Amino acid sequence: METCKRAGRVLVVGAGQAGHQTAAYLRERGHKGPVTLIGDEGRLPYERPPLSKAYLKAEVEASDLWLRPETFYERNAIERVTGTAVALDLATRTVRLADASLHPYDHLVLATGARARAVPVPGAHLCGVHRLRTLADADALRSALPGARHVVVIGAGFVGLEFAAAAREMGHRVTVVEALPRPLARVVSAPMAEYFARLHQERGNELLLGQGVARFHGNREGRVTAVELTDGRRLPADLVLAGVGAVPRTELAEGAGLEVAGGIVVDGRLLTSDPHVSAIGDCAAFPHPRALARLRVESVQNAVDQARLVADRLTGSDRTYDDLPWFWSTQFSARLQIAGLGGGHDTELVLGGDAGSFSVLLFRDEELVAVESVGRPADHMAARRILAQNIPPALWEAAVPGFTLQGHLRSRAGRPVPAAA
Ligand SMILES: Cc1cc2nc3c(=O)[nH]c(=O)nc-3n(C[C@H](O)[C@H](O)[C@H](O)COP(=O)(O)OP(=O)(O)OC[C@H]3O[C@@H](n4cnc5c(N)ncnc54)[C@H](O)[C@@H]3O)c2cc1C
């Protein structure tokens, strides 16, 4: 185990949610050695979730997104360096930035996140074809949206649908093109996907499901004018959001010879194939006791909890990562909350009949693995406690009329359940 003293100089590459949190937790836990946070965005570390929600609608400003003010880093002796890390030398334990400066470390934390995936079709470079990963991306969308007449989203994942909801609330009728037969297909159950599909349609957005994109058309000035679908149809478009997922930023790790497979490969302690290098957050592929295979998770919870684990390890408290995954998304006034990992589930049980307020319990081999809730924050909080404490209801118990997650938790834990998230 690396003790506080042995951790010495900690270098964090990537000044996003996970990188910031690592530095903050290290100081909170009494780490005395130097801590350096290297980021290539030239801004204070900020939270990304509002970029596709409140920030897009100008309900909050950039300064509302900073995770901590400038003075926090000064007060806590966290050195912030702006630059892109381009090379990692495991033998000499140094990171080189694009400006050729060298940064030595005793322990390196890779928190390089992910970048937005491009749509791999002709015309993807045209002006007016946007992505949404950074504050700069959101700023570009914020300035383009007021003048846009035909808004098209490619991909009905969380970012695409959150953007479509925000744009609709700003008065645009959005067409969402999705290659799979239902929205959010990889991330939520069929009943939940159907609810969000209906919600968008009822609010006036159009969903074109099971449709691929063949190319983007542009005018002489290089501006996008239309999206051509694989069935030959052309949708007029002057603002397109490519919301087709994110690719982990693994190039630094790969260049150094660290193991990379769908993310920077780490063990249960979040250590890479080099014991002096950890990887956390969106860039890391990690084992989890609740998962069938190695996972890469894009969520704030994952970034924060993994940062905490690494800071704990570097200050003398070692453990294996098994924190319960949870997630949220807001579209229109609907707040979706997910506890657990639903991948590979075989049974769905819906609690609550009201369309705007229900939960879906997901079972695998009769074991509760995840709960998706919309408009039922008390269900979500109960589900988190039930799953984290490993006191799930059996499938037959949950199927009994009148079953509630809060009632189940009370009966097992004997403690009151918090009313809301
Ligand atoms: C639009 C949007 C909405 C989201 N909404 C939600 C939500 O509602 N709920 C939720 O739980 N999650 C949401 N997420 C996901 C969540 O924001 C991410 O999971 C989280 O930001 C991951 O943190 P991270 O630090 O791993 O990566 P990032 O936040 O991506 O930070 C990585 C940082 O490292 C920098 N970097 C990368 N390589 C280098 C290098 N070589 N040198 C220097 N710097 C480098 C990057 O520029 C970036 O600043 C959303 C994400 C987006 C984009």
Side-chain angles (χ1 to χ4, degrees), residues 21-27 29 31 109 306-317:
Q21 216 66 68
T22 305
Y25 279 136
L26 275 170
R27 288 300 184 227
R29 278 144 177 71
H31 176 75
V109 180
Q306 293 197 336
R308 188 187 297 115
L309 180 138
V310 167
D312 283 349
R313 166 157 48 75
L314 295 177
T315 52
S317 168

Side-chain angles (χ1 to χ4, degrees), residues 11 88-95 103-107 274 276:
L11 190 63
L88 160 60
D89 187 333
L90 299 175
T92 60
R93 291 194 212 155
T94 38
V95 167
H103 295 262
Y105 63 83
D106 294 303
H107 196 88
D274 180 303
H276 302 287

Side-chain angles (χ1 to χ4, degrees), residues 13-19 38-41 48-49 51-53 83-85 111-114 132-133 159 162 249 281-282 298-300 303 327-328:
V13 175
Q17 186 93 47
I38 296 175
D40 61 1
E41 290 194 70
R48 293 183 201 277
L51 298 183
S52 50
K53 309 175 185 83
T84 305
T112 48
L132 180 46
R133 177 75 201 180
V159 170
E162 287 173 0
R249 290 184 65 172
D282 282 15
E298 292 172 16
S299 77
V300 169
F327 186 81
W328 79 92

